[in-house]
Amino acid sequence: MYEIHKRPSRDLRNNYPEVAELVRAHNDVIITNKGKADVVLINPEDYAEFKEFRHREYVLAALEEAEKYRDKPESWLSEEEFWAGFEE
């Protein structure tokens, strides 16, 4: 079952196998430092899914922004202007 666990940073040093097993079991582990959330550990498969989700989110936002200018050709960039923007 998916759970979120909070563990102090010293557990990375003192109880790494236990923390790693929690992460491998698809549980997220929030590492705290002085009682405050510092970092989150997730397993590689969940990280890959997260990165794909963020990429899709980025593409959808870019498409939504581009849709605003679809019927306004005067605001379109030429190919040269488009590529020049990447060189800056």
Side-chain angles (χ1 to χ4, degrees):
M1 181 175 185
Y2 176 82
E3 294 181 41
I4 297 176
H5 299 268
K6 288 186 179 180
R7 303 295 290 262
S9 59
R10 69 178 172 273
D11 276 4
L12 287 176
R13 180 181 57 247
N14 299 335
N15 300 311
Y16 177 78
E18 182 182 335
V19 173
E21 187 54 39
L22 288 171
V23 174
R24 280 189 214 102
H26 294 273
N27 294 302
D28 297 346
V29 177
I30 298 172
I31 301 297
T32 61
N33 189 10
K34 298 179 182 172
K36 295 183 180 181
D38 190 32
V39 296
V40 177
L41 302 175
I42 61 175
N43 69 44
E45 295 87 10
D46 292 344
Y47 178 69
E49 285 181 27
F50 174 73
K51 285 204 49 146
E52 184 175 328
F53 169 77
R54 291 295 308 262
H55 178 70
R56 288 179 185 217
E57 197 175 58
Y58 168 78
V59 170
L60 288 174
L63 288 172
E64 186 176 295
E65 181 67 21
E67 185 69 24
K68 295 176 186 176
Y69 302 101
R70 182 171 62 151
D71 297 326
K72 299 177 186 171
E74 66 279 358
S75 64
W76 295 0
L77 297 175
S78 69
E79 183 177 351
E80 293 81 18
E81 291 170 323
F82 174 80
W83 289 113
F86 284 103
E87 295 171 0
E88 294 177 357

